[in-house]
């Protein structure tokens, strides 16, 4: 089943985040990931959620997401993202 990763970011360092984005997409592709959404101005239709930068990535399955997230090559990129932005992320699995 397809797994989607939803990430809500508040970016504090745009140049660093831009560098992260360019590097992380190529790495995600090695694990079957592909970007579906990068929305800088999401439209809120209900509730209190107020993401400022929303990203959705698609992976073949949940294990591919975990393999990507735990990959040694991703760890320095993850540290870069955590310095450049505050984020929330989750995995959802489709049918």
């Amino acid at each position: 089943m397809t797994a989607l990763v939803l990430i809500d970011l508040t970016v504090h360092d745009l140049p660093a985040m831009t560098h992260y984005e360019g590097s992380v997409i190529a790495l995600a592709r090695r694990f079957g990931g592909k970007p579906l959404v990068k929305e800088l101005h999401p439209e809120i239709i209900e509730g209190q959620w107020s993401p400022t930068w929303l990203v959705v990535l698609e992976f073949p399955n949940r294990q591919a997401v975990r393999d990507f997230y735990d990959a040694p090559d991703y760890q320095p990129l993850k540290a870069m993202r955590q310095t450049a932005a505050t984020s929330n992320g989750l995995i959802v699995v489709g049918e």
Side-chain angles (χ1 to χ4, degrees):
M1 287 191 236
T2 299
L4 299 177
V5 177
L6 288 77
I7 307 159
D8 165 15
L9 299 141
T10 301
V11 176
H12 311 295
D13 183 343
L14 186 56
M17 198 63 201
T18 301
H19 178 74
Y20 165 84
E21 181 183 22
S23 300
V24 80
I25 290 172
L27 181 60
R29 285 192 172 122
R30 287 186 15 210
F31 294 88
K34 71 176 186 178
L36 298 180
V37 174
K38 174 187 167 186
E39 177 61 58
L40 300 179
H41 304 287
E43 180 181 354
I44 308 305
I45 60 171
E46 188 172 330
Q48 300 300 311
W49 189 24
S50 58
T52 58
W53 183 323
L54 185 69
V55 175
V56 179
L57 304 171
E58 179 183 55
F59 285 82
N61 52 52
R62 186 184 302 266
Q63 188 59 52
V65 176
R66 297 305 311 177
D67 291 345
F68 160 74
Y69 191 78
D70 295 335
D73 290 350
Y74 181 60
Q75 301 318 299
L77 293 172
K78 181 169 67 171
M80 181 186 304
R81 175 183 48 79
Q82 291 172 335
T83 299
T86 304
S87 60
N88 296 296
L90 56 94
I91 302 169
V92 294
V93 177
E95 299 204 22

